[in-house]
Amino acid sequence: MVGLPWEQHIAFLDDKKRARAIEERVRKGVRACAGHPAVLCYAIGNEIPASIVRWYGHGRVEQYLERLYQAAKAEDPEGLVTYVNYPSTEYLQLPFVDLVCFNVYLESQENLAAYLARLQNLAGNRPLVLAEIGLDSHRNGEDVQARTLDWQIRTAFAAGCAGSFVFAWTDEWSRGGHDIEDWDFGITTRARQPKLALAAVREAYSEVPFSPDLSYPRISVIVCSYNGQRTLHDCLDGLLQLDYPNFEVIVVDDGSTDQTATIAREHGFNVISTENRGLSQARNTGLEAATGEIVAYIDDDARPDRQWLTYLAATFLTTNHVGMGGPNIAPPGDGPIADCVANAPGGPIHVLLSDQEAEHIPGCNMAFRTSYLRAIGGFDPQFRIAGDDVDVCWRLQQRGWTLGFSPAAMVWHHRRNSVRTYWKQQKNYGKAEALLERKWPEKYNALGHLRWAGRLYGGGLTIEPTGLYRRHIYQGTWGSALFQSIYEPAPNTLLMLTLMPEWYLVILALAVLSLLGLLWPPLLLTLPLLVLAIGALVVQAGLSATHASFTSAPQTRLARLKLYSLTALLHGLQPLARLYGRLVYGLVPWRRRGVSGYVRPRPHTCTLWSEQWQDPIARLQSFEADLRSLDICVRRGGDYDRWDLEVRGGIFGTARTQMAIEEHGAGKQLVRFRSWPVCSSGGLMLLFLFALLSSGAALDRAWVASVLLGGVAILLTLRMFEECANALMTLLRVLHQPKPAVHQRSSGLPGRLEVARERRVLK
C-alpha cells in the first residue's frame, strides 16, 4: 500500500497554493509507481485529524479527497485508490474510493469484532482493509503483544476483511525527523531481531480466515429454478468451486419448460423435478430432501463466493442465530442496463437491527438451522414469486428467535437486464406486499407501508429528495469524541413522502383539481402544486442517480449521461410499478380491515365481572391476541397515551379502548372498558378543505365544480363514518367474547351484540 505523504496534520485548505502542491505531490508519487506489480493500492491520505476535519467541515474535506482521488486515477487509471480513515472521522463519506481502509487499535477482541461489523456496513459493497493493527510491547510486554496480534488478525478475517497490515515491521520509527523511543510497535526490535509477535503473526496469517481445526456442520444448498437456464450454469459452476468440506446441492426444478433440469444433472447435483407450484413450494421441496444441519438458499441467478458457506457456518457456530444472511452484489459484465438496475431501488437488500443482527435477509442469500425452519412449517405456499423470505423471517422472529448477518458470506447476484423485466419484477414485489399486508397487518402503517424496525442496506437505495437532509455528526464536547454515536436520527417524514408509491396518487389528484380549474378558475392555483410535486419526484430521482456506482466506468461524457439518465428513470419507474402491483392486489390506501357489520360511532362502556384474578397486562395481551387472530391491525398505546389498544378501521378512522380494574377481594375483579371512535386529523383536514372549496365554488356560482367538490367531501365523510363504525364494531365484538371464569354485563351495547351474548350464556 503506497502511502502518498503530505501535510495532513495542518490546515491544508487555507492556502490554495498548498492545496495545488499537495495534488501535484500525489500525482508525482503515483506516476513513480504506476504499473508496478508489487502495488496493491495508493493511499491518498492517512488519518486527517478530527480537529482539522471539524475546522473545515466534512463537506470540504470530502471534496478535496475526491480531487486527490481523481488526480491519482489520472496518473494510473487501472490502479486502486483509497483513503486511510480512523474511528474519529468515520463519518467521512467517500463513495469514490475503490476500497475502504481504517486504522483500528482496540485491545478487546469483543470490541474489535463489534466495530468491524459496523465498518463492514459503512463499507457497503467495497472491500474493507485494516491499514493498521498492532500493540505496543514497550508498555504491554512481548507476550501480550504476540497474543493480541494473533486474535486481531484472526478477528479481522473472521469479520470478512479483505486484508490487514500489522504495524509495524520494526520498533525503529521516527516522526518529523525525530526518533520515537518510548513505544515499540514492531514485530522485530530496532536491531531487527525477531520478537514473539513475528511467529504469532506468521501462524495467524497462514490459517486465515478460520482455523483448519474448525468442525464444520453439514450444509444443504438448495437452488430453486423456474426456466432459469440463462444463469443457472454460472450458479452451479460457482457451487462446484465452493471451498467447504461438507455440503450437498439440491436443485429443485419447479416445472421448467427449458433445459434447467438437464443443466443441473450435467453438473452432477441432486435434481428434484415437480410441476410448477411456485417459489415457496419449491423451497419446501428442497427442505424436505435436505440432510444438512443447515439449509442454505441461493437463487439460480446468483453465483456464490468460494468461501460463502465457510462464513455462514462459522457465524452459525459462534452465535445463537437461527437464520443467517449475507450481501448480494451485482457482478461486472452484465451490460449497461443491468448496471443501472443495480443502482435502482427495489433490489434484494438486507435490513439490520444492529450491525450484527438482521430483521430481514433476502431470499437470494439466506441460510437457516434446518430444525428451526421445519419447526415453523417452512415457507408459506401463498407466496409464489416473492415475499416468502420476508414472511419466514417474521415467523422466526415471532417465536423469539433471531437472525444474523455475515458481511463476508457474499454472492454475486445478476440484476434484470431490461427495463421490461425490471418493471415486471417490481410489479410482483407490489403483489407480494399486498399478500404480506393481509397476513401481517400490524407490520404496516395506515397507508400500507412496511414499518421496518431496522435500517436498510444495499445498493440502489433512494436518497431523501432535494438534499435537505443533513447528517448528524457526533463531535463530542469540544470535538473530543473518539467514536461516532451508534444512535442515528430517524428520517424526516415530510421529506420521505415523495419516495412513496402513493405520491403518484397525489400527483393524479392535483392534476384532476387543476383540470377542474377550467370550470372554476381559483382551482388553477393547484397547478403550481402539481408542478412542484412532479418536480420533487424528478429532483429526487436525479439526485439518487448521482450516487450511482457503475461496475464499468463509462469512457465518454455521453455514455455517462446515458447511464445516469436511465438510472434516474428507473428511480421514477420503480414506485409506479410497485403502486400498480399493490393496487391490483388490494393494497390500497382506502382498504378496510375488520369484522363485518357496523355500530353507531359513539362512546361505549363495558364491564366484566371475574371470579378469578388476572393480571391487567395479561388481560390486555389476551384481548390484543384475539384482535390479531382476526387479521386486524391493532396498536398498543404508548407511554404518554391514555388509551390501551387501538383498532385501525382504515386510513381515516380508528377505535380506541381504555381499561380500568376494580379489585374486590378474594381475587374478584370488576373490569371496565371505555371505547370510542377516533377520526384521523388528516381525514378531517381533507374534509374541511373540500368543503371549503365546494362552498367557494358555490359562492362563485360554479355549480358543476361545487357539486363535484362537495361530492368528494360527502364521500370522505361517509368513508370516515364507515371506518370508525367498523373499527368500533370490531373492538366491541372482541371485548364481548366470553372468557373462561368471566361473567359479563354491559351498558351502551348495540342490540344485536347483546342478543348474541345472551345466546352464548344460555348455551
Side-chain angles (χ1 to χ4, degrees), residues 223-521:
V223 184
C224 301
S225 184
Y226 172 69
N227 291 341
Q229 67 176 16
R230 186 178 68 86
T231 56
L232 184 61
H233 185 83
D234 186 46
C235 171
L236 300 183
D237 273 352
L239 293 174
L240 285 173
Q241 297 176 32
L242 284 174
D243 183 14
Y244 192 78
N246 187 13
F247 73 101
E248 65 173 344
V249 175
I250 301 170
V251 180
V252 181
D253 174 23
D254 187 35
S256 300
T257 58
D258 60 4
Q259 299 299 310
T260 292
T262 303
I263 294 173
R265 291 190 181 96
E266 288 174 353
H267 284 78
F269 296 136
N270 179 18
V271 181
I272 303 175
S273 296
T274 67
E275 61 182 10
N276 182 245
R277 299 181 299 176
L279 181 57
S280 287
Q281 283 284 33
R283 294 198 197 276
N284 287 335
T285 299
L287 178 63
E288 292 171 5
T291 61
E293 303 169 45
I294 296 170
V295 56
Y297 290 92
I298 184 172
D299 281 1
D300 61 1
D301 58 352
R303 180 188 179 95
D305 177 76
R306 291 183 71 248
Q307 294 179 328
W308 173 53
L309 292 184
T310 304
Y311 277 100
L312 285 177
T315 313
F316 273 118
L317 289 173
T318 55
T319 67
N320 294 320
H321 298 308
V322 302
M324 192 68 54
N328 64 96
I329 302 175
D334 275 358
I337 296 180
D339 223 1
C340 293
V341 169
N343 286 284
I349 58 177
H350 46 281
V351 183
L352 300 186
L353 295 168
S354 68
D355 291 318
Q356 295 168 302
E357 183 179 347
E359 181 180 9
H360 165 64
I361 48 180
C364 61
N365 181 9
M366 61 182 181
F368 305 96
R369 299 184 193 271
T370 307
S371 58
Y372 286 84
L373 187 57
R374 286 173 176 166
I376 63 169
F379 295 84
D380 189 338
Q382 70 171 309
F383 299 101
R384 292 181 56 87
I385 301 176
D388 56 305
D389 49 357
V390 178
D391 174 70
V392 82
C393 289
W394 287 344
R395 285 160 56 210
L396 289 169
Q397 291 167 323
Q398 193 180 48
R399 296 283 190 96
W401 302 326
T402 60
L403 308 173
F405 182 78
S406 174
M410 187 195 77
V411 301
W412 297 99
H413 187 212
H414 297 280
R415 298 319 197 241
R416 299 300 189 269
N417 59 0
S418 73
V419 176
R420 181 182 62 83
T421 55
Y422 176 72
W423 171 274
K424 183 179 179 181
Q425 178 197 46
Q426 298 307 311
K427 187 176 65 174
N428 286 332
Y429 285 172
K431 173 186 177 182
E433 286 184 89
L435 294 175
L436 285 166
E437 195 272 342
R438 293 173 194 168
K439 186 174 182 179
W440 301 89
E442 70 277 7
K443 297 283 189 179
Y444 287 75
N445 61 21
L447 286 173
H449 292 279
L450 268 171
R451 295 183 293 195
W452 293 111
R455 181 177 175 183
L456 280 69
Y457 289 86
L461 291 178
T462 307
I463 67 168
E464 290 187 345
T466 70
L468 295 178
Y469 178 70
R470 294 184 61 188
R471 276 184 278 162
H472 287 250
I473 297 173
Y474 178 66
Q475 307 279 2
T477 304
W478 298 338
S480 60
L482 297 178
F483 291 85
Q484 283 293 288
S485 170
I486 61 173
Y487 302 103
E488 296 185 5
N492 187 297
T493 303
L494 183 62
L495 296 179
M496 295 295 289
L497 288 177
T498 57
L499 309 184
M500 299 179 181
E502 285 75 19
W503 189 253
Y504 281 95
L505 296 180
V506 173
I507 291 175
L508 178 62
L510 290 174
V512 171
L513 289 175
S514 299
L515 288 175
L516 284 178
L518 300 175
L519 301 175
W520 185 41

Side-chain angles (χ1 to χ4, degrees), residues 499-651:
L499 309 184
M500 299 179 181
E502 285 75 19
W503 189 253
Y504 281 95
L505 296 180
V506 173
I507 291 175
L508 178 62
L510 290 174
V512 171
L513 289 175
S514 299
L515 288 175
L516 284 178
L518 300 175
L519 301 175
W520 185 41
L523 285 179
L524 290 175
L525 293 174
T526 59
L527 192 57
L529 295 178
L530 174 62
V531 174
L532 184 62
I534 296 174
L537 194 67
V538 172
V539 170
Q540 167 263 311
L543 287 175
S544 299
T546 61
H547 287 68
S549 177
F550 301 105
T551 56
S552 55
Q555 299 300 317
T556 65
R557 186 171 298 178
L558 179 60
R560 284 197 297 272
L561 179 61
K562 288 181 178 179
L563 287 178
Y564 284 115
S565 298
L566 179 56
T567 304
L569 175 64
L570 295 177
H571 273 274
L573 279 180
Q574 189 266 347
L576 186 60
R578 277 181 57 205
L579 177 64
Y580 179 78
R582 290 156 64 95
L583 295 180
V584 169
Y585 292 98
L587 186 53
V588 295
W590 50 88
R591 69 198 184 285
R592 181 174 63 81
R593 301 288 296 272
V595 300
S596 59
Y598 304 94
V599 65
R600 189 151 55 97
R602 63 177 181 82
H604 291 264
T605 59
C606 169
T607 58
L608 312 176
W609 177 257
S610 173
E611 297 286 344
Q612 295 182 357
W613 187 88
Q614 185 179 11
D615 179 72
I617 301 298
R619 190 180 296 277
L620 283 171
Q621 288 174 339
S622 174
F623 283 120
E624 181 185 36
D626 290 341
L627 287 166
R628 294 191 189 280
S629 68
L630 298 174
D631 290 336
I632 303 301
C633 183
V634 57
R635 188 163 66 101
R636 294 183 178 186
D639 295 335
Y640 300 95
D641 294 320
R642 292 189 59 192
W643 50 272
D644 299 315
L645 294 173
E646 179 187 75
V647 171
R648 185 193 302 155
I651 191 174

Side-chain angles (χ1 to χ4, degrees), residues 689-730:
L689 175 63
F690 279 99
L692 188 65
L693 290 175
S694 177
S695 301
L699 291 175
D700 283 348
R701 300 184 181 278
W703 303 115
V704 176
S706 177
V707 169
L708 291 175
L709 294 169
V712 173
I714 293 173
L715 289 175
L716 283 172
T717 303
L718 293 175
R719 182 68 185 185
M720 200 176 304
F721 184 90
E722 177 192 24
E723 290 180 358
C724 289
N726 181 256
L728 192 59
M729 176 72 177
T730 303

